[in-house]
Amino acid sequence: MNCTEFLANLTDYFDAKTATALRTELEQHMAGCSHCHVTVDTTRQTIEVYRNDELFELPESIRTQLHQAVLTKCENLKRKKEPKS
Amino acid sequence: MATILTPEEKEANALHPDLLLVEKVKAGDLSAFEQLMRQYDRQIFRIALHITQNREDAEDIVQDTFFKAFQKVHQFQGNSKFYTWLVRIAVNESLMRLRKRRSQKTVSMDDEIQTEEGSIPRDFADWMPNPEQNYNQAELADILRKTIKGLPPGFRTVFALRDIDGLSTEETAQALGLSVPAVKSRLLRARLQLRERLSRYFRVPTGEHAS
Ligand SMILES: [Zn+2]
């Protein structure tokens, strides 16, 4: 296995979706190839650092505002649709 | 497009608590709808922000997405998760906003991304242990934001759904109207490009010249 073939299987490798035989091959390549080893290691860290960071928080006050705005629109829509009783 | 589900998937779906709420919403129950909003608004916001990179747009998109979902709730057939259906609306709304803002350029999920930059790893330096601890919270947030902003929208959307939001590859494909292989190839390139760019900040200092 060369580095290009290794990369082509990287997504499945991360998802633990590779068959055992292929997995062994990938791990063997990694053990002998420092480039691919570092690539896997740092890619894993990349995913983790993004996953752990609460980059984009929605403040509670804005949430309430948004909900209110949507509910008002829905209310109006409902009223238009329903015949008056 | 509707996907054919196995009996197991159908059963899993039928038991999903969202479906009960959705049925109530179809009957006009707004408090059930509010519950769904509370459950998913933050995720929708995050996805919208990842695609548009603009806070105000993302807030508008949250509103538009949920209102659209309410309008179209009768079209929801339950052949995907409600959340996946919602994400699909949010992605479409987000792409529409992007298009509006850069009216000269078309933006679509299907845009073939020409650049190969960063898709082939070049930086093989090891990273510092816990590299994120070398930056304070604001600095780190800035680095992460800047870095993901540099990706084409089609890439960062796949990355956001799959790796940050935790959708499966199949759900991501469904939400974006892409094939599974297309999602996989974008995900690989998104991850590798982010890795390459973050490496500038996180690599072990070598004293060699930085590129
Ligand atoms: Zn290699």
Side-chain angles (χ1 to χ4, degrees):
Chain A
M1 175 173 290
N2 62 34
C3 296
T4 310
E5 289 163 339
F6 181 86
L7 280 181
N9 286 292
L10 197 57
T11 307
D12 284 338
Y13 177 74
F14 273 121
D15 294 348
K17 274 198 173 162
T18 40
T20 327
L22 179 59
R23 208 170 176 80
T24 310
E25 250 191 278
L26 290 167
E27 268 152 17
Q28 267 167 7
H29 176 84
M30 233 190 319
C33 176
S34 67
H35 282 187
C36 286
H37 191 274
V38 166
T39 302
V40 166
D41 216 45
T42 51
T43 303
R44 187 172 284 135
Q45 289 187 69
T46 298
I47 297 168
E48 273 165 19
V49 79
Y50 269 100
R51 198 173 282 163
N52 295 340
D53 198 88
E54 297 289 329
L55 268 189
F56 298 144
E57 273 302 303
L58 187 58
E60 199 58 35
S61 59
I62 294 180
R63 288 182 77 194
T64 316
Q65 266 177 29
L66 290 177
H67 296 172
Q68 249 357 87
V70 174
L71 287 173
T72 308
K73 279 191 187 174
C74 296
E75 198 71 75
N76 289 339
L77 184 75
K78 250 179 83 179
R79 221 173 288 143
K80 254 190 263 169
K81 275 185 175 172
E82 280 169 9
K84 276 181 192 151
S85 52
Chain B
M1 202 161 294
T3 319
I4 297 163
L5 297 183
T6 63
E8 290 80 10
E9 284 171 319
K10 268 189 194 153
E11 197 185 355
N13 258 334
L15 298 172
H16 201 289
D18 285 355
L19 287 191
L20 236 118
L21 290 171
V22 171
E23 284 315 307
K24 287 185 181 172
V25 174
K26 283 183 181 174
D29 183 343
L30 282 180
S31 72
F33 189 60
E34 195 176 1
Q35 231 174 302
L36 286 168
M37 268 199 285
R38 285 210 80 79
Q39 204 158 318
Y40 296 125
D41 59 346
R42 280 174 292 203
Q43 279 136 291
I44 296 296
F45 176 72
R46 206 166 45 191
I47 291 166
L49 196 43
H50 269 295
I51 301 176
T52 64
Q53 300 291 319
N54 180 296
R55 230 164 215 284
E56 277 172 39
D57 279 355
E59 287 172 15
D60 288 346
I61 290 161
V62 171
Q63 267 202 54
D64 294 348
T65 299
F66 280 104
F67 184 55
K68 265 220 172 111
F70 183 79
Q71 283 178 300
K72 297 201 221 167
V73 72
H74 290 279
Q75 291 172 27
F76 175 70
Q77 301 294 345
N79 43 20
S80 66
K81 277 191 198 152
F82 178 71
Y83 178 60
T84 314
W85 186 73
L86 203 58
V87 168
R88 184 153 194 176
I89 299 177
V91 168
N92 286 335
E93 292 290 318
S94 304
L95 292 176
M96 232 158 59
R97 293 255 163 184
L98 265 192
R99 263 178 233 126
K100 256 188 222 160
R101 238 181 319 116
R102 352 171 158 169
S103 47
Q104 73 280 23
K105 270 199 238 163
T106 51
V107 182
S108 111
M109 228 35 237
D110 305 320
D111 276 354
E112 216 20 80
I113 292 109
Q114 302 298 333
T115 171
E116 286 293 325
E117 190 248 319
S119 291
I120 297 148
R122 269 178 303 194
D123 189 332
F124 300 110
D126 242 324
W127 285 6
M128 302 175 274
N130 302 311
E132 68 279 6
Q133 285 169 15
N134 290 284
Y135 298 92
N136 70 38
Q137 217 183 343
E139 284 169 341
L140 181 66
D142 199 50
I143 290 170
L144 296 182
R145 223 175 282 133
K146 246 186 356 212
T147 302
I148 201 164
K149 201 171 181 168
L151 290 188
F155 281 21
R156 60 178 191 247
T157 306
V158 169
F159 180 79
L161 294 183
R162 185 65 192 67
D163 280 340
I164 301 175
D165 207 40
L167 261 63
S168 72
T169 304
E170 290 72 19
E171 286 167 340
T172 305
Q174 237 177 34
L176 300 180
L178 291 172
S179 69
V180 166
V183 168
K184 279 191 186 174
S185 105
R186 275 163 206 231
L187 183 61
L188 174 66
R189 290 160 81 182
R191 284 167 168 177
L192 289 178
Q193 287 192 21
L194 287 175
R195 182 205 83 91
E196 198 78 18
R197 288 161 197 228
L198 283 184
S199 205
R200 291 171 213 159
Y201 302 97
F202 292 166
R203 72 211 303 271
V204 173
T206 55
E208 294 169 18
H209 73 282
S211 62

